[in-house]
Amino acid sequence: MPLRVIVNADDFGLDDEVNAVIVRAFQTGLISSATLMANMPAFEAACELAQQPTLAGRIGLHVNLTYGLPLSRAIRAERRLCDAQGGFDLQLRQRTLRLSPSEREAVRQELDAQWQRCLAHGVRPSHLDSHQHVHNIWPVGDVVARFAREQGVPVRLARNIGANIGPLKRVFKTLLNRRLKQLCAVTADHVCTPLDLKHGLAPSHGVLEVVAHPSALDRHDFGDAYLPPGESLVQLLDQHLSGVERVGYAGLGDR
């Protein structure tokens, strides 16, 4: 299979500035999808913007367990997940292998609350990923993947392309991604950041998802949080993915 690429912008709904950048990135064809934060201040505005033809069907849920206030109640009592005031304060290590039954149920309820808020505002998420990659924590990923399967949508794999992925991390990511694939459909075969592309690590086949956090450089260009200040995301994608088909998630759900 020749290489195809999904460029997904995380953090839609974070604030008005992020919303404006993401909409413009859609309009220029820079990105092919975005993921929505259901508990952030600009969420409702993002849902209105998501009705535009350019965005329709290309908006997923950016599962958030680390920033702001939860939308459900049970998770607020879990001290490894929230602080004493009920705000998100995730205390799970990256290599955590187990959640207690009450923690697991609380994560499930919060995930459902975020999903339902999207539906209530006219957006049915096309896919799932997570803020600060929390579904790369094994037991959280298990909950997210099972939920994705129930909803019939794919989930993002753990980043599996990068110069800084050492042998032990590679083994962990391989096992985690294998587990995610057992539980649900996935968005792509390969996952990387713009910085990984800069290092010349683009694969030659399959579907690649580029995890982007675009920012405005000027009216016609974009930077990215993963790149040095002032460096062009547009030029980077043109340089390393020239001629590669840019796709969304339509038709990829049965992968």
Side-chain angles (χ1 to χ4, degrees):
M1 178 192 301
L3 183 64
R4 295 182 292 166
V5 63
I6 298 163
V7 182
N8 187 89
D10 292 356
D11 299 348
F12 196 33
L14 179 65
D15 56 40
D16 290 336
E17 181 179 356
V18 169
N19 284 0
V21 169
I22 287 177
V23 169
R24 190 159 65 85
F26 268 114
Q27 293 170 343
T28 63
L30 176 71
I31 63 174
S32 48
S33 64
T35 39
L36 184 60
M37 302 180 79
N39 68 329
M40 287 292 103
F43 165 79
E44 292 185 6
C47 289
E48 292 183 12
L49 294 168
Q51 306 307 316
Q52 297 181 18
T54 308
L55 282 67
R58 294 175 177 263
I59 304 300
L61 174 61
H62 198 49
V63 177
N64 182 12
L65 300 177
T66 60
Y67 186 46
L69 295 174
L71 298 181
S72 57
R73 297 187 62 84
I75 200 168
R76 301 184 184 198
E78 299 294 341
R79 291 286 77 91
R80 289 204 299 172
L81 305 176
C82 289
D83 60 25
Q85 289 71 48
F88 283 130
D89 185 24
L90 196 70
Q91 298 297 312
L92 303 179
R93 295 177 180 271
Q94 187 66 39
R95 301 297 171 84
T96 297
L97 296 178
R98 184 181 179 277
L99 295 176
S100 70
S102 63
E103 288 172 334
R104 188 179 180 90
E105 177 59 22
V107 170
R108 176 64 173 75
Q109 290 183 22
E110 179 61 24
L111 177 53
D112 187 61
Q114 293 182 19
W115 178 274
Q116 293 298 329
R117 191 169 191 225
C118 291
L119 297 183
H121 286 81
V123 176
R124 188 183 192 281
S126 57
H127 58 290
L128 297 180
D129 55 37
S130 63
H131 192 54
Q132 299 181 329
H133 314 292
V134 293
H135 79 288
N136 292 180
I137 301 171
W138 190 288
V140 176
D142 190 85
V143 175
V144 171
R146 291 175 187 275
F147 184 85
R149 182 176 63 195
E150 292 172 9
Q151 306 306 328
V153 298
V155 68
R156 175 191 289 165
L157 292 177
R159 171 174 162 263
N160 53 9
I161 293 177
N164 64 340
I165 302 177
L168 291 179
K169 185 182 288 188
R170 176 74 60 186
V171 169
F172 178 81
K173 285 175 175 285
T174 298
L175 293 174
L176 173 62
N177 285 343
R178 183 180 301 167
R179 180 60 175 161
L180 293 175
K181 290 177 182 179
Q182 289 173 343
L183 291 173
C184 66
V186 298
T187 60
D189 306 294
H190 317 283
V191 178
C192 75
T193 69
L195 190 60
D196 299 323
L197 292 180
K198 182 180 178 180
H199 292 155
L201 299 176
S204 60
H205 63 280
V207 179
L208 169 67
E209 179 171 357
V210 180
V211 181
H213 295 80
S215 57
L217 291 182
D218 56 41
R219 290 180 60 188
H220 306 289
D221 204 356
F222 299 84
D224 192 273
Y226 286 107
L227 298 175
E231 190 160 317
S232 171
L233 178 60
V234 174
Q235 292 179 13
L236 180 72
L237 294 178
D238 286 345
Q239 179 181 354
H240 294 279
L241 297 172
S242 177
V244 177
E245 181 185 4
R246 196 75 51 87
V247 297
Y249 290 93
L252 295 180
D254 296 328
R255 292 184 54 75

